[in-house]
Amino acid sequence: MADQKIGAYICKGCGLEERLDMQQIEMTATRDGKAAVAHQHDMLCSKEGVEMIRNSIESDEITHTVIVACSRRAKVEAFNFSDVAVARANLREGVIWLRPDSDENRETTQEMADDYVRMACAEAKAMHKPSPSGEQDLNKHILVVGGGVSGMTVALEAAAAGYPVSIVEKSGALGGHVAELYKRTPQHAAPAGVANGRNVDLPGAEDTGIEEMIKRVEENADINVHLNSTVAKTSGAPGRFSVDIATESGSTTTENFGAIVQASGFKPYDANQLPEFGYDRSADVVTNLELEALAKAANGGPIKRPSDGKEVTSVAFVQCAGQRSDKEGHLPYCSGFCCTTSIKQALYFKEQNPDCDTTVLYSDLRTPGAAGEDFYRRGQQSEVIFTKGDVSEVVTNGELTVKFKDIILGEDTEMVADLVVLATGQVPNSGPDPYAVAPSDDDEEEGGDSAPEENTVTVSVESILNLDYRQGSDLPQLKYGFTDSHFICFPYETRRTGIYAAGPVRRPMDIKQAVDDATGAAMKAIQEVHNAAAGRAAHPRSGDLSFPSFRKEGCTQCKRCTVECPFGAIDEDEEGYPQYNESRCRRCGTCMGACPVRVISFENYSVETVNQQIKNCDIPDEFDEKPRILALACENDAYPALDQAAMSGEELTPWARVIPVRCLGSVNLSWVTDAMNSGYDGVVLMGCQKGDDYQCHFVRGSAMAAERMSKVGDTLSTLNLEPERVVIHEVAITDIKRAPQLINDMAKVVEEIGMSPFKF
Amino acid sequence: MSTNTAMIEKYRNSFLKEVEANVEEGDWVKMCMQCGVCSGSCPLGKDWAHPPQEIFMMIRAGKREEVLTSDSMWMCTSCYNCIVRCPRELPITHIMHGLAHYAKRLGLAPKNQPTMKFAQLFWDNLAKKGRVNELKLGISLYFMNGFGEGIKTSLKMKDIGLGMLKAKRMSVAEAFGGHAVKDLAGFQKMLKKAQELEDARLSQHG
């Protein structure tokens, strides 16, 4: 690397000059950091400061830039030099804002700053400028799987934005479940100024508008509809998906797509699993979806009951039927649409015949959406009786008797009805979960196995996407079979990049929410088409051009990378070597952390870049009484929490040296052992929450890290070191006080157990 | 047929409809969403057999007898806390008084309910002269629960009474007739007319 020239640009602003010896910093950069060029500037992020750096880059004076200023999370626009490798030494948030300004602390603060400069220069030396692979071209064609209201919305939105769409629909018609509805719940609240009264004009049920929507889809030249078709095979990656579309008749066509949206919707819950409500014994016990068919048949006239065609004069709605319950075969979650649906259906009866007795038996009435509360009031206004009751049984002896406990009045009671409507929920229409645990785990796994004797809530486990991926045929799932995604930060990003889930397959929802959801997914698919073409990463490392590569000579074909990648980005070639798909990759580095022979690296992030940082920190000898604590902090939550701590004046031990990592999943065990070997006294790993309610931005990274680190104790004992010297913590972005405290706690531990004997 | 049985006949299954048609502000009852804020806000709520939330639920559950014979709504002190806090803006206080009034009209209100007795005494006292005769009202309240208790209460209060006499806050003369509003005949005519209107309304509904 003879032609490598490092330029160190040192900022004196934001109080750095007052707190630190800038001459000393510059000397550290040139002497220890081997920077070819070092410049100081009063305010590096100003126009002049940035211009100074830009001029050096353009005159080929430098190939690597080290910005000695603030946190890498600050001033990102100013210090965005895409044509060189950039490393940042964080002296503002990382040093002076975390340390008290007093004479006795001056020395340790300066040491901290010098170390960060050395580390940044060393990191830069090991970095290369990332450049895209060019694996994909721009393919604006988007595939939508599912022709219900969600799928059609995606198609219409994408087509309107200029992206051609193909819809693959399994059935013979577009429209999905919405086409089965008589009416839909209202979308808008009462206009402003409508009093909170009892006889006012409130929103009522509306036409579904589905015919008009189907017509718009069919008439759109940019939308190609494949009815009676399924996806037989999906291979490739975002920007270059190759999809076999199979028709019922057996013919198959292959098309290429830039991105895919899975809008496979939901399956109605099977009410046969509710023998207590007599669904299997009486034709007059129906589900909410079946009532829509009755209402459609009546078409505004009196609704007749199925058994004998008698006009219904009393009807009971049983809310949460087979939902929100831990009982076997029931859905543990709330489907979110059934309360407003029952209000809508009660009004079918009331508005046709005000004397019809309609009772909604609920335990918690929830009416999401802008119109929800007003629609509830409309139901009350029309004298639908809402009874807070817990239904135990529907007796079907000639007439239907609903037995329930009135929760307000605290008594067991019953009512007789012509018709009983069960407000049953939504079961996601997902394919088999690639990570489902073996069938022995019988309680919560659904969609994972096809064992029919188990009372699971999923009916079918036919694959929907038939992905030709190393890690399974379909999108990974959450606990109840819904598509897994980071629901707080980027709900549409599934664990298969470039494939987006929209509508009730992602979580239970109503029409309005599905339309919003589908619009969001369409936008994400459009974004991904362009990201893939440009070789950029999707969330959360949006825009990152680096991607992993591996040194084939060193690879032992252990397959840990292909198994552990949370996004199924890595396949295996015929010889068993990993085969990277750049545009499927989210750049978390979990493969890099997994690799036991350390052959996986990114241009600007590798085992070496971090190792160099670890090694280029000065380790004072044992008698200096100055321990060194290495903190590897996840750049998504823990590192920003430390930045926040600096901004709010928290204090950090002067012995700490913090290195941001892309994800705790990218932490290679060798960093920890190398750090211990080079004389660090303690190591603190800070990642995101793992488990069912994970917050890891790369889904599995922190869980992987925790698993790997559980074995670190053995390594330490072979080195004759105390296991307390390495800890792993879950840190949230809000842990502003806690994040520095965790590192300070390690300083206390070191004080108690003594310094590491590995200082040379 | 008594009014009560007539009402049962007419509204057969729907006590809610009966309340809507006959109870002051009764058409609000259906709008209750059972949040329970009224019951939680009522300063005397814990002493009610059925706090307002429950009364509303009982009406919808068709518990006619239980509601109308209950003494709960008679416990309302008109503090208006519930009205202020009800998220659905139900005039709960008025509904409570409306229910009490309706129960009394049907002869279902609990016998010897003290609030009801007091209200009757107050009304009778007021209707006579168009003014409240405080001396007479006071004495009638002392003797509301029988002669013995009346004497006891009178003796207990005698010092206050004598003090008020001394300070001329009370006149013994009021015990004999007492003074009336200027146009007593006009006042009574007005009451009579009001009663006629009310009877006409009831005969139309009831």
Side-chain angles (χ1 to χ4, degrees), chain A residues 251-378:
Chain A
S251 65
T252 302
T253 51
T254 305
E255 286 185 52
N256 293 318
F257 297 97
I260 298 174
V261 179
Q262 179 179 334
S264 49
F266 72 95
K267 287 171 281 197
Y269 175 77
D270 177 15
N272 281 311
Q273 306 206 50
L274 302 170
E276 63 271 37
F277 297 149
Y279 178 77
D280 50 347
R281 292 189 302 276
S282 169
D284 295 334
V285 179
V286 297
T287 67
N288 41 13
L289 212 55
E290 288 162 353
L291 184 80
E292 293 292 338
L294 295 180
K296 240 184 163 175
N299 195 23
I303 293 175
K304 310 233 168 65
R305 69 181 185 191
S307 63
D308 56 1
K310 174 190 174 287
E311 183 180 331
V312 176
T313 55
S314 59
V315 54
F317 292 86
V318 180
Q319 295 308 109
C320 305
Q323 300 190 65
R324 299 178 63 214
S325 127
D326 296 331
K327 268 190 230 153
E328 209 186 319
H330 288 202
L331 305 176
Y333 51 85
C334 163
S335 288
F337 76 99
C338 350
C339 286
T340 39
T341 295
S342 288
I343 295 170
K344 175 187 76 175
Q345 296 178 338
L347 286 169
Y348 290 167
F349 293 95
K350 270 292 179 194
E351 290 179 354
Q352 196 275 322
N353 170 17
D355 287 329
C356 181
D357 276 332
T358 54
T359 307
V360 177
L361 296 155
Y362 69 94
S363 63
D364 301 281
L365 207 70
R366 293 289 180 274
T367 55
E373 188 69 8
D374 283 346
F375 195 44
Y376 176 23
R377 285 167 63 212
R378 188 186 176 98

Side-chain angles (χ1 to χ4, degrees), chain A residues 585-598:
Chain A
C585 173
R586 299 272 259 276
R587 283 75 162 170
C588 58
T590 300
C591 51
M592 185 175 118
C595 184
V597 284
R598 285 168 271 166

